Amino acid sequence: MAGHSKFKNIMHRKGAQDKKRSAMFSKLSREITVAAKMGMPDPDMNPRLRLAVNAAKAQSMPKDNIQRAIDKATKGEGDNYEEIRYEGYGPGGVAIIVEALTDNRNRTATNVRTAFAKNGGNLGASGAVSHGFDRMGLITYPASVGDAEKIFEAALDAGAEDVSSNEDEHEIWTAMDSLHEVVKALEASIGAADSAKLAWKPQTTVEVDEANAATLLKLVDTLDDDDDVQTVWGNYEVSDAVMEKLG
């Protein structure tokens, strides 16, 4: 298992979603509805729905909103969303994966392509960059739940493959097929996670210099702000010194 990482910079800046609660709730609701439509509407019987509900609870989404999103699926309401993955390159040659849930493929493709084009990147074909990532499960806990040693031991006992801790949070990586089992085991030992999802973990990372960092982060934020985009992953790291200069 690994030690420390700066995955908070690899995925995306958390502030981008925190500033827009309503947009975040909309994305969480969409995932809940899709998960409920794809399986049983009971979180205990539907692992994907359970993860979606847990993610919503971690963001303090009201119970009524969660139930309403599930009810949409059971009543056959709401749009039929499809899952689409886009891959491309950002400033400095970093690899980016964009996961979307959309009811209009053309609209989403246009928006994503435009975001790349206007912010120093270019959209590639399917599979262009995903070969440089591993598909894994990612579970996060706030740093306040315990020190790195405690979380490391709990994760190891639960069957996790990798753990990294920093001053903000603990990141626990699992095999893709083991995510749900590890989540349950950790819930029993240290409580509910902040988030648990399938993720794209870069096999290697690229250090982005100050010249490219501002444009790259603007690209990530632009993608993240799109209603159809659920998650943005990348293989980049931005040093604390550069982040401080960018404000």
Side-chain angles (χ1 to χ4, degrees):
M1 292 194 178
H4 298 273
S5 78
K6 292 183 179 176
F7 190 77
K8 58 184 176 180
N9 282 336
I10 296 173
M11 186 169 70
H12 63 270
R13 289 185 301 169
K14 290 192 166 183
Q17 284 186 325
D18 294 341
K19 292 174 186 172
K20 301 179 179 178
R21 272 180 94 71
S22 61
M24 179 177 63
F25 283 175
S26 175
K27 294 184 181 190
L28 291 167
S29 294
R30 188 178 295 194
E31 170 60 21
I32 290 170
T33 300
V34 169
K37 277 188 176 183
M38 292 180 68
M40 297 285 289
D42 180 358
D44 291 331
M45 303 293 290
N46 182 336
R48 177 170 174 173
L49 178 57
R50 179 179 172 82
L51 291 178
V53 169
N54 285 349
K57 287 180 178 177
Q59 296 299 330
S60 302
M61 186 171 171
K63 288 183 179 179
D64 288 348
N65 293 39
I66 294 173
Q67 190 58 51
R68 198 155 47 238
I70 294 174
D71 290 344
K72 274 188 178 181
T74 58
K75 294 175 182 176
E77 297 175 357
D79 299 303
N80 288 317
Y81 295 105
E82 62 175 318
E83 296 177 286
I84 305 176
R85 185 175 80 238
Y86 301 95
E87 303 180 28
Y89 293 94
V94 303
I96 295 176
I97 295 176
V98 182
E99 294 178 310
L101 282 176
T102 181
D103 59 348
N104 187 324
R105 179 186 283 261
N106 291 336
R107 177 192 66 219
T108 309
T110 298
N111 289 349
V112 171
R113 186 177 294 108
T114 300
F116 272 90
K118 287 187 174 180
N119 294 285
N122 58 83
L123 196 59
S126 177
V129 303
S130 55
H131 57 82
F133 293 75
D134 294 319
R135 189 63 161 158
M136 299 184 72
L138 172 62
I139 307 163
T140 62
Y141 280 90
S144 59
V145 299
D147 60 28
E149 185 176 351
K150 173 188 173 182
I151 303 304
F152 180 90
E153 291 178 356
L156 190 65
D157 290 341
E161 294 198 353
D162 195 9
V163 180
S164 63
S165 299
N166 57 49
E167 61 185 14
D168 299 315
E169 64 183 5
H170 305 284
E171 297 146 1
I172 300 167
W173 292 92
T174 76
M176 185 172 66
D177 295 338
S178 304
L179 176 60
H180 304 298
E181 288 73 18
V182 176
V183 167
K184 285 184 179 180
L186 287 172
E187 278 183 0
S189 61
I190 56 177
D194 259 6
S195 70
K197 65 180 77 175
L198 290 177
W200 292 96
K201 184 180 184 182
Q203 295 164 2
T204 58
T205 57
V206 176
E207 183 77 27
V208 180
D209 59 23
E210 187 178 352
N212 287 307
T215 308
L216 171 63
L217 294 177
K218 185 180 178 184
L219 168 59
V220 173
D221 285 346
T222 300
L223 290 166
D224 208 33
D225 286 344
D226 190 286
D227 289 341
D228 296 335
V229 172
Q230 291 294 100
T231 324
V232 181
W233 307 94
N235 70 343
Y236 60 90
E237 285 198 45
V238 182
S239 70
D240 291 340
V242 171
M243 290 295 283
E244 285 178 15
K245 289 182 180 180
L246 296 175

